[in-house]
């Protein structure tokens, strides 16, 4: 497929936003050769794109969106009515597809590409379901992907950490990343999911998990140390305890604070934790009646510390499907809504749940949730720390609503318009009406591209410097002529429909239409370990046989299972 | 032949492939000439064809949809979505009609002299559907998986009906003069269902509100229902249905407060419930 792509490409006269290289709206040319950005190409030999009056950014990077795997597929099966209202016909280059909040794999790839996004991280993959996840990721075209195995409630991880065997735990985590072709360590409600196996949950990060004699704090700290030892490209990626419950903001701050002293890795620097979809973890109040926004203290904490990055998990009013590995949270949501639901236990690893949900502007809680997502991004002064644009697709809203989120971030007027239509009682419980910050295109480029790429430790993504992958989005909007604060709708429309999307030097979208659909890569991390670790990992084989329905030998994904893998090699800081 | 008016459609030959024809409704036909009606597009299988390729079209349409009657003469058992979202006027079907007749209908009348397929009047908002024959499953229901069934209007069926009648129904009335299959009024939220014949079983499963009246035989009442009284008669719209009826509340497994009225006379095997009164 790649042969047909023009080898050389020249994007002329675009107004470029490339925050990682400090370029803030300069008119310049971008040259591409063989899928990489280069200094210059001869104009005669290149395919020339005239981007005058247009905005050029690196391809979008989504740090957290559930686009593949068994829970997404279960969501598809659960929600025929979600497909029915959103149908995409076949075209000469694109397959047909369905789905609004849980679109089919091909449609997912096309829709991301149409918005100018070229990287998506699929969080929360139950390690046991890795094959399924990779099969779906292989069928998600155009975009590059990575997936994070859930390791926070894994029995072996908890046992190693409870016994203080941090190096053995690191070896096991590295083996898991290799076995499941994962990219980062994901924790969901650490300890809580194991309690859910007995119908319980943890209420603070110092509650003891039954039978394991370990607390969430020890799991989080332990895995953060493991992350440092393995020198992984990303930090630990955490979904906090008590997510989605009123008054959970304190536990969120404690979670961030508990790893303050743990060093990061060679690519993350000082950063040691990424807290994801913080909107769901920033509720104040004692119950649903008194629930309010506590985005401000969380933003204050992030402003004062350098070891944290976060993403928004914004809520956009509308119909969607919630799906997380957080079984107890999903069960609570079912009890709240009475909707149809799925709850599931994945052997020794994790749990999961799915409930369809409709966010209503007129609901007190939903209106506050909408505000929290935006407040987080607007109150954090340094956009490199967050809050990166996500909707925790599909939990807060489908990813297709990112342009709306960008619109709200860039325009007070757009926010005021929505504020007029939300629940009136909710307005006293948020700080959003008092915020007059309007983000610039430069800041948006950080929140949607450069920031997440840096947080993920992606060296060749999220920027347009020489040597970077030629993943480029061009939007039909002239940032010099438009005032996004006033003309916010034009901004939204531009982000909804990229004029051009270029993936690895190949034009994939033109005028909002998919024109070619190459296969994207799947990134995974291979950690080089010292020899002793092999013995340590093999020694769990007996316990494995007792606990798993799959044998230890059959568990790892075979070598050639992924269609287009990309191996990121790291060297563990373990003693030989 | 029943009384027929302005526009008549007749199949040119028997249809073997399903035809999706949401345009067969007074709103689309109004103000069009015979030729223009014939050039409207429908889906035959996965192909777009013109109406005139499949049907003989006779008569020009009146300019206002409410003055228009569309008469479907012959076998329309393969034609789906007739009267989709129609707001006024009449559609008269002289034979059978396929799936999804009157889907999301807002007003007007559909009269079917033969039988109707499944999903009759699904997501209906208003208007009237009269079936002189029988109907399939999911009459007045929601789209598969959704929770928004029929919200208004009236469906009257003189024959029998299949399973899951009024699934997720939220308003309006359904009257069945024959008997019904399993699960009538499943997930009923509001509205009223009258079954003059027998019920195959499990009426009102998961019902949260609304009313189901069964004048015939029911094998059993689900355990989620609790008897509250014996009613002499029950109101169905303006009509008074003479009983006596065992009146149950349920479905209590879902915390529902719907009313299920079951004929006392025809269900002597339920008399043990009287001991709970």
């Amino acid at each position: 497929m790649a042969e047909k792509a023009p080898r050389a490409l020249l994007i002329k006269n675009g107004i470029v936003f490339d925050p990682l290289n400090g370029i803030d709206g300069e008119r310049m040319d971008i040259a591409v050769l063989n899928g990489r950005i280069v200094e210059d190409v001869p104009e005669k030999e290149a395919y020339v794109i005239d981007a005058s009056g247009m905005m050029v950014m690196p391809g979008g990077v989504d740090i957290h969106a559930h686009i593949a795997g068994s829970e997404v597929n279960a969501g598809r099966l659960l929600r025929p009515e979600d497909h029915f209202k959103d149908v995409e016909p076949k075209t000469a280059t694109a397959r047909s597809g369905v789905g609004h909040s849980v679109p089919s794999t091909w449609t997912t790839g096309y829709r991301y590409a149409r918005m100018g996004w070229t990287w998506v991280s699929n969080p929360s993959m139950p390690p046991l379901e890795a094959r399924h996840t990779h099969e779906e990721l292989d069928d998600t075209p155009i975009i590059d992907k990575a997936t994070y195995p859930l390791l926070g409630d894994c029995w072996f991880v908890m046992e190693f950490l409870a016994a203080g065997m941090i190096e053995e735990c690191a070896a096991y985590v590295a083996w898991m990343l290799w076995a499941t072709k994962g990219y980062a360590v994901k924790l969901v409600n650490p300890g809580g999911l194991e309690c859910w196996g007995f119908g319980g949950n943890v209420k603070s990060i110092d509650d003891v998990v039954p039978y394991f004699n370990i607390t969430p704090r020890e799991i989080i700290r332990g895995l953060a140390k493991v992350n440092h030892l393995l020198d992984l490209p990303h930090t630990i990626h955490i979904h906090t305890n008590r997510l989605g419950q009123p008054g959970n903001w304190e536990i969120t701050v404690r979670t961030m604070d508990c790893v303050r002293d743990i060093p990061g890795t060679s690519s993350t620097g000082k950063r040691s934790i990424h807290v994801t979809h913080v909107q769901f973890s920033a509720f104040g109040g004692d119950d649903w009646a008194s629930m309010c926004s506590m985005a401000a203290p969380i933003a204050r904490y992030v402003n004062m510390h350098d070891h944290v990055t976060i993403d928004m998990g914004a809520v956009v009013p509308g119909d969607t499907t919630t799906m997380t590995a957080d079984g107890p949270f999903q069960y609570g949501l079912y009890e709240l809504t009475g909707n149809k639901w799925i709850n599931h236990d994945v052997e020794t690893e994790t749990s999961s749940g799915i409930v369809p949900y409709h966010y209503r502007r007129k609901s007190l809680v939903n209106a506050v949730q909408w505000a929290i997502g935006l407040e987080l991004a607007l109150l954090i002064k340094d956009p490199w720390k967050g809050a990166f644009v996500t909707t925790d697709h599909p939990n807060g809203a489908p990813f297709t609503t990112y342009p709306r989120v960008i619109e709200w971030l860039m325009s007070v007027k757009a926010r005021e318009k929505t504020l007029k239509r939300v629940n009136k009682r909710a307005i006293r419980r948020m700080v959003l009406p008092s915020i007059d910050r309007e983000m610039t295109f430069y800041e948006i480029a950080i929140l949607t591209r450069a920031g997440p790429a840096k947080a993920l430790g992606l060296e060749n993504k999220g920027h347009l410097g020489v040597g970077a992958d030629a993943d480029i989005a061009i939007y039909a909007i002239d940032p010099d002529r438009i005032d996004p604060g006033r003309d916010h709708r034009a901004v939204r429309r531009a982000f909804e429909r990229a004029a051009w999307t270029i993936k690895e030097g190949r034009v994939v979208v033109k005028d909002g239409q998919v024109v070619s659909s190459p296969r994207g890569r799947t990134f995974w991390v291979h950690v080089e370990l010292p020899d002793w670790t092999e013995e340590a990992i093999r020694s769990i084989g007996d316990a494995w046989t007792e606990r798993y329905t799959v044998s230890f030998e059959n568990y790892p994904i075979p070598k050639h299972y992924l269609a287009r893998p990309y191996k990121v090699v790291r060297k563990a800081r373990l003693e030989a | 032949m029943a009384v027929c008016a302005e526009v008549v459609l007749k199949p040119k030959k028997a249809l073997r492939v399903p035809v999706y024809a949401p345009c067969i409704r007074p709103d689309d036909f109004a103000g069009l000439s015979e030729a223009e009606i014939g050039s409207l597009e429908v889906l035959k299988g996965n192909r777009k064809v013109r109406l005139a390729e499949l049907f003989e079209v006779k008569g020009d349409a009146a300019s206002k949809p409410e003055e228009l009657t569309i008469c479907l003469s012959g076998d329309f058992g393969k034609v789906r979505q007739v009267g989709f979202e129609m707001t006024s006027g009449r559609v008269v079907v002289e034979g059978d009609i396929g799936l999804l007749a009157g889907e999301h209908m807002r007003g007007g009348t559909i009269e079917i002299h033969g039988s109707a397929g499944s999903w009759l009047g699904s997501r209906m908002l208003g208007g009237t559907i009269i079936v002189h024959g029988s109907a399939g499953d999911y009459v007045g229901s929601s789209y598969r998986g959704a929770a928004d069934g029929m919200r208004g209007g009236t469906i009257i069926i003189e024959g029998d009906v299949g399973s899951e009648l009024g699934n997720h129904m939220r308003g309006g009335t359904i009257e069945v003069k024959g008997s019904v299959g399993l699960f009538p009024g499943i997930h009923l939220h509001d509205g009223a269902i009258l079954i003059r014949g027998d019920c195959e079983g499990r009426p009102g499963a998961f019902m949260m509100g609304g009313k189901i009246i069964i004048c015939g035989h029911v094998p059993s009442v689900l355990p989620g229902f609790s008897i509250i009284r014996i009613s002499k008669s029950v109101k169905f719209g303006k009509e008074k249905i003479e009983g006596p009826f065992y009146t149950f509340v349920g479905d209590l497994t879902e915390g529902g407060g719907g009313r299920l009225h079951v004929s006392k006379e025809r269900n002597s095997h339920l008399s043990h419930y009287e001991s709970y009164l």
Side-chain angles (χ1 to χ4, degrees):
Chain A
M1 284 197 286
E3 298 85 64
K4 272 191 260 165
R7 285 176 62 243
L9 194 83
L10 188 63
I11 302 162
K12 291 192 73 175
N13 293 325
I15 296 161
V16 177
F17 290 87
D18 181 9
L20 273 167
N21 295 308
I23 295 166
D24 182 5
E26 281 173 41
R27 190 177 299 275
M28 58 194 283
D29 298 350
I30 303 278
V32 174
L33 190 67
N34 294 334
R36 293 277 172 132
I37 291 177
V38 292
E39 281 292 350
D40 204 3
V41 288
E43 194 169 337
K44 269 190 294 184
E45 288 164 29
Y47 180 78
V48 179
I49 293 173
D50 179 17
S52 43
M54 294 196 198
M55 183 168 69
V56 180
M57 284 187 179
V61 175
D62 193 337
I63 198 165
H64 190 108
H66 302 257
I67 57 163
S70 48
E71 88 269 30
V72 179
N73 214 36
R76 292 185 186 115
L77 293 171
L78 184 70
R79 299 213 63 198
E81 79 278 14
D82 182 73
H83 312 320
F84 159 75
K85 64 188 172 196
D86 197 347
V87 180
E88 293 217 13
K90 178 177 180 289
T91 68
T93 46
R95 297 195 186 198
S96 62
V98 288
H100 178 68
S101 63
V102 272
S104 41
T105 52
W106 291 84
T107 306
T108 303
Y110 301 146
R111 287 188 180 169
Y112 265 113
R114 271 189 233 147
M115 299 196 309
W117 259 247
T118 52
W119 169 286
V120 180
S121 300
N122 179 63
S124 73
M125 162 177 74
L128 191 67
E129 319 277 2
R131 276 179 175 75
H132 183 158
T133 308
H134 282 293
E135 280 161 16
E136 286 195 19
L137 287 178
D138 280 348
D139 271 350
T140 307
I142 302 176
I143 52 176
D144 283 342
K145 299 132 302 203
T147 178
Y148 317 149
L150 288 157
L151 297 168
D153 286 82
C154 225
W155 287 9
F156 292 109
V157 168
M158 287 195 290
E159 277 176 359
F160 280 132
L161 291 177
M165 297 160 79
I166 193 86
E167 302 220 326
E168 284 79 356
C169 185
Y172 176 72
V173 167
W175 180 83
M176 265 299 201
L177 288 172
W178 166 80
T180 65
K181 302 290 176 275
Y183 187 82
V185 176
K186 174 75 188 288
L187 294 88
V188 171
N189 188 0
L193 302 189
E194 183 51 38
C195 296
W196 181 234
F198 307 95
N201 199 352
V202 291
K203 292 190 179 64
S204 81
I205 61 168
D206 294 312
D207 281 9
V208 178
V209 180
Y211 304 107
F212 285 91
N213 197 23
I214 193 168
T215 62
R217 181 191 296 274
E218 286 159 357
I219 300 174
I220 299 164
R221 280 184 63 83
L223 282 173
K225 282 180 198 157
V226 163
N227 205 82
H228 166 73
L229 288 176
L230 297 179
D231 200 30
L232 297 180
H234 188 30
T235 56
I236 56 167
H237 193 99
I238 182 166
H239 157 134
T240 59
N241 300 103
R242 288 198 63 205
L243 179 128
Q245 295 174 25
N248 62 11
W249 70 277
E250 278 175 82
I251 211 167
T252 309
V253 172
R254 285 200 187 117
T255 302
M256 295 191 284
D257 203 49
C258 83
V259 295
R260 197 173 50 179
D261 56 325
I262 296 174
T265 68
S266 57
S267 50
T268 65
K270 280 184 194 164
R271 296 189 302 273
S272 57
I273 189 166
H274 178 88
V275 188
T276 190
H277 43 68
V278 180
Q279 175 272 124
F280 291 105
S281 307
F283 297 175
D286 303 321
D287 50 27
W288 290 115
S290 62
M291 181 265 197
C292 62
S293 161
M294 276 294 172
I298 290 176
R300 198 177 311 132
Y301 185 89
V302 175
N303 281 334
M304 282 160 58
H305 296 84
D306 289 331
H307 67 286
V308 189
T309 54
I310 68 169
D311 68 77
M312 290 164 82
V315 156
V316 180
D319 191 40
T320 192
T321 314
T322 67
M323 54 177 70
T324 66
D326 197 343
F329 161 68
Q330 292 289 349
Y331 181 73
L333 197 62
Y334 151 70
E335 286 197 316
L336 218 62
T337 61
N339 270 345
K340 50 188 174 181
W341 59 294
I342 292 177
N343 218 280
H344 183 58
D345 176 50
V346 186
E347 299 194 5
T348 69
E349 293 172 347
T350 176
S351 68
S352 70
I354 306 167
V355 183
Y357 195 80
H358 194 111
Y359 290 101
R360 293 172 203 282
R361 281 191 306 264
K362 295 293 175 197
S363 148
L364 174 75
V365 170
N366 296 165
V368 173
Q369 283 186 285
W370 165 76
I372 293 174
L374 302 175
E375 286 167 3
L376 285 165
L378 292 164
L379 290 173
I380 292 174
K381 289 181 191 127
D382 177 6
W384 291 103
K385 293 180 188 171
F388 306 139
V389 172
T390 67
T391 55
D392 188 14
H393 164 83
N395 289 306
F399 64 84
T400 43
T401 56
Y402 289 175
R404 289 214 72 183
V405 177
I406 292 169
E407 180 187 11
W408 282 318
L409 292 177
M410 293 192 83
S411 164
V412 172
K413 199 174 137 198
R415 298 202 287 268
E416 277 171 355
K417 263 188 191 167
T418 310
L419 276 169
K420 274 184 199 147
R421 299 172 66 199
V422 303
N423 186 310
K424 290 284 163 288
R425 286 188 303 138
I427 289 177
R428 280 185 290 130
R429 300 174 185 223
M430 49 173 95
V431 281
L432 190 66
S434 64
I435 303 175
D436 56 4
R437 179 173 175 193
E438 288 185 337
M439 291 208 171
T440 60
F441 283 112
Y442 186 74
E443 285 168 317
I444 292 294
I446 298 174
L447 290 185
T448 56
R449 295 147 153 82
K454 194 176 166 197
L456 285 164
L458 296 167
E459 284 156 12
N460 296 328
K461 303 272 175 201
H463 71 104
L464 299 173
V466 171
D469 288 343
D471 298 348
I472 305 164
I474 305 175
Y475 298 106
I477 193 169
D478 189 341
D480 291 342
R481 291 198 185 166
I482 196 165
D483 173 10
R486 216 157 39 91
D487 208 356
H488 51 86
R489 222 177 256 143
V491 174
R492 184 176 89 209
R493 278 197 213 109
F495 276 100
E496 275 169 355
R497 240 175 97 99
W500 301 80
T501 305
I502 291 145
K503 173 76 200 335
E504 291 172 71
R506 184 171 176 178
V507 175
V508 287
V509 169
K510 194 175 166 183
D511 290 333
Q513 298 294 320
V514 175
V515 292
S516 70
S517 137
R519 200 192 279 276
R521 288 175 292 185
T522 303
F523 283 53
W524 66 281
V525 177
H526 176 89
V527 186
E528 287 175 351
L529 296 170
D531 294 337
W532 65 263
T533 56
E534 204 169 318
E535 191 58 36
I537 293 162
R538 204 168 293 148
S539 69
I540 65 170
D542 289 340
W544 185 287
T545 315
E546 272 176 28
R547 292 172 179 182
Y548 269 95
T549 54
V550 183
S551 76
F552 184 68
E553 288 73 23
N554 286 340
Y555 190 81
I557 293 184
K559 211 174 170 187
H560 301 293
Y561 206 76
L562 274 59
R564 214 183 148 207
Y566 183 91
K567 186 156 91 171
V568 179
V569 181
R570 292 289 163 139
K571 199 166 165 30
R573 300 174 195 187
L574 295 175
E575 299 213 4
Chain B
M1 283 273 282
V3 191
C4 232
E6 323 255 3
V7 181
V8 184
L9 298 185
K10 208 181 241 179
K12 283 186 171 164
K13 53 182 179 184
L15 293 164
R16 296 171 63 193
V17 183
V19 174
Y20 276 85
C23 66
I24 303 185
R25 54 173 189 168
D27 305 68
D28 276 7
F29 280 19
L32 301 187
S33 69
E34 200 175 283
E36 284 168 328
I37 292 170
S39 65
L40 290 172
E41 276 186 343
V42 294
L43 266 182
K44 181 190 178 198
N46 59 3
R47 244 170 275 156
K48 274 185 189 165
V49 296
R50 297 191 187 288
L51 212 52
E53 290 174 44
L54 303 175
F55 307 105
E56 266 175 40
V57 183
K58 263 189 213 154
D60 297 331
S63 59
K64 288 184 186 161
E66 57 267 31
E67 290 165 7
L68 179 61
T69 301
I70 301 174
C71 183
L72 308 181
S73 163
D75 182 13
F76 278 72
K78 288 273 184 203
V79 184
R80 301 176 176 181
Q81 279 191 318
V82 168
F84 177 72
E85 290 189 358
M86 68 185 263
T87 55
S88 57
R90 267 164 71 80
V91 176
V92 178
V93 187
E94 289 179 351
D96 295 349
I97 190 83
L99 307 185
L100 293 162
E103 187 190 4
H104 218 211
M105 175 173 172
R106 292 156 197 270
T109 311
I110 299 180
E111 191 173 352
I112 300 156
H113 290 276
S115 311
S118 296
W119 307 97
L120 174 76
S122 76
R123 299 191 293 136
M124 180 169 169
L125 300 172
T128 310
I129 300 179
I130 301 162
V131 185
H132 296 292
S134 59
D137 304 324
Y138 303 104
V139 171
S141 74
S142 61
Y143 183 76
R144 176 91 71 197
D148 54 339
M150 172 172 176
R151 280 181 189 270
T154 310
I155 301 179
I156 300 167
I157 297 158
E158 298 193 344
D160 300 340
V161 172
S163 298
E164 302 204 20
L165 166 78
N167 178 2
H168 279 293
M169 180 170 164
R170 286 169 185 269
T173 56
I174 301 180
E175 181 179 351
V176 181
K177 296 191 177 160
S179 59
V180 302
L182 292 170
F183 292 111
I186 183 170
H187 286 291
L188 187 74
H189 289 261
D190 205 352
I193 298 176
L194 169 62
I195 299 158
R196 294 196 191 268
D198 302 337
C199 167
E200 210 176 304
R202 296 167 219 170
F206 304 111
M207 74 191 276
M208 300 300 289
K211 186 192 278 184
I212 304 174
I213 308 162
I214 303 174
C215 305
H217 175 262
V218 180
S220 66
V221 171
L222 287 168
F225 286 82
S226 177
I227 192 161
I228 48 171
R229 63 172 174 265
I230 295 174
S231 315
K232 267 188 203 155
S233 66
V234 182
K235 268 195 158 180
F236 178 73
K238 282 175 188 162
E239 199 183 342
K240 199 171 170 192
I241 313 290
E242 288 301 331
F245 290 98
Y246 292 124
T247 298
F248 297 86
V249 64
D251 186 336
L252 300 174
T253 51
E254 294 286 300
R259 294 286 187 273
L260 173 66
H261 307 280
V262 179
S263 165
K264 185 180 173 202
E265 245 166 63
R266 297 286 315 278
N267 295 290
S268 53
H269 59 288
L270 299 178
S271 61
H272 63 278
Y273 276 106
E274 286 171 34
S275 62
Y276 298 111
L277 283 170

